[in-house]
Amino acid sequence: MTTPSQRQAFLEGEGDAWFQRNYQSDADHIASWSSRDPLVGLLENLPLPRGQETSVFEVGCGQGLRLAHLNSSKGWSVAGLDPSEKAIAAVTAAGYRGVVGTAETLLLPDRSVDLLIYGFCLYLCDRDDLFRIAAEAHRVLKPQSWLAILDFWYPHQRVNAYHHRSGIESYKDDLPGMFSWHPSYVITDHCLRHHSSRAYTDDPQEWIAATLLRRCDLVSKEE
């Protein structure tokens, strides 16, 4: 009997379950959300033009709080992808474009995205899909663009049982390393913090990282 992929599990119900566990409806919490988000400050300081000419796409967008904030504060054109139909319903109800799907297939044109975000989702992806995920990111990103990852971080892979459903595993590893080996990708920011308190910590079991990478394709040859 073939074990179903984690991708299938999230598309067939676990994505909706994750969304229901994490959905925020309290107006005060939503209003203060950006002050606790490890990525927002980094993203708002990127040298990208204000307005709709800047294209942002988030994989694992949830209910779209990060997208909504970036659209409001910077005027960027935002859209997202999530395996949860309920999450995408919330995104579209808020007035943004959303797509049900997973990270290894981005239904976007080649070289169309200025900022691609992975919002705490890669730790649950099938390890067999990581090369496909990286290839899709490279395909949709513009030659001089930005890649952001918020996720668990560990210098080498650790595997844990997923607490909410048997048969699923979660992973902690060096996810930015999926891209930084490539000569076009350079890590510009890597902020390591405690998973829940967002404070500094020496406990590797609690590390999360907000990482920015610049896709800086070679534009001229050395003489």
Side-chain angles (χ1 to χ4, degrees):
M1 182 176 178
T2 303
T3 302
S5 68
Q6 299 197 172
R7 174 172 15 100
Q8 289 176 290
F10 276 84
L11 285 169
E12 294 172 359
E14 186 54 36
D16 283 340
W18 189 99
F19 172 75
Q20 290 175 314
R21 288 193 300 270
N22 293 276
Y23 177 72
Q24 300 294 336
S25 59
D26 180 75
D28 290 338
H29 184 95
I30 292 173
S32 64
W33 173 87
S34 62
S35 66
R36 301 188 304 276
D37 182 70
L39 268 185
V40 160
L42 293 175
L43 300 181
E44 288 186 319
N45 287 319
L46 288 176
L48 289 168
R50 295 183 65 89
Q52 292 290 301
E53 65 182 280
T54 294
S55 171
V56 178
F57 193 82
E58 181 172 13
V59 180
C61 63
Q63 70 189 87
L65 295 182
R66 191 173 292 112
L67 295 176
H69 181 87
L70 294 175
N71 176 258
S72 175
S73 67
K74 307 294 285 190
W76 292 339
S77 174
V78 301
L81 174 146
D82 199 279
S84 167
E85 293 183 1
K86 293 182 178 181
I88 295 305
V91 170
T92 56
Y96 307 108
R97 185 168 68 87
V99 181
V100 176
T102 48
E104 83 294 337
T105 304
L106 304 180
L107 302 177
L108 296 168
D110 294 356
R111 299 188 172 195
S112 61
V113 176
D114 294 291
L115 168 60
L116 180 64
I117 305 167
Y118 290 101
F120 234 108
C121 59
L122 293 175
Y123 78 105
L124 291 170
C125 291
D126 295 288
R127 302 295 93 174
D128 286 347
D129 284 344
L130 294 185
F131 278 124
R132 297 169 63 189
I133 291 169
E136 272 291 88
H138 189 70
R139 180 184 67 80
V140 305
L141 282 167
K142 295 179 180 179
Q144 305 298 119
S145 56
W146 296 89
L147 175 67
I149 301 172
L150 176 63
D151 219 307
F152 291 111
W153 188 87
Y154 204 76
H156 54 269
Q157 183 170 270
R158 295 181 63 91
V159 183
N160 299 295
Y162 182 62
H163 297 307
H164 305 287
R165 179 168 169 174
S166 62
I168 295 178
E169 294 175 329
S170 66
Y171 302 89
K172 296 181 180 180
D173 49 26
D174 179 17
L175 291 165
M178 292 170 56
F179 302 93
S180 61
W181 65 269
H182 192 288
S184 288
Y185 292 86
V186 176
I187 293 176
T188 63
D189 296 89
H190 183 67
C191 182
L192 204 64
R193 294 290 186 272
H194 188 281
H195 174 225
S196 57
S197 71
R198 304 297 195 255
Y200 291 99
T201 179
D202 293 325
D203 183 355
Q205 300 301 321
E206 298 295 341
W207 283 338
I208 62 167
T211 307
L212 280 179
L213 298 99
R214 172 69 163 165
R215 176 175 173 174
C216 45
D217 295 31
L218 187 66
V219 295
S220 64
K221 294 183 179 180
E222 293 182 0
E223 298 295 333

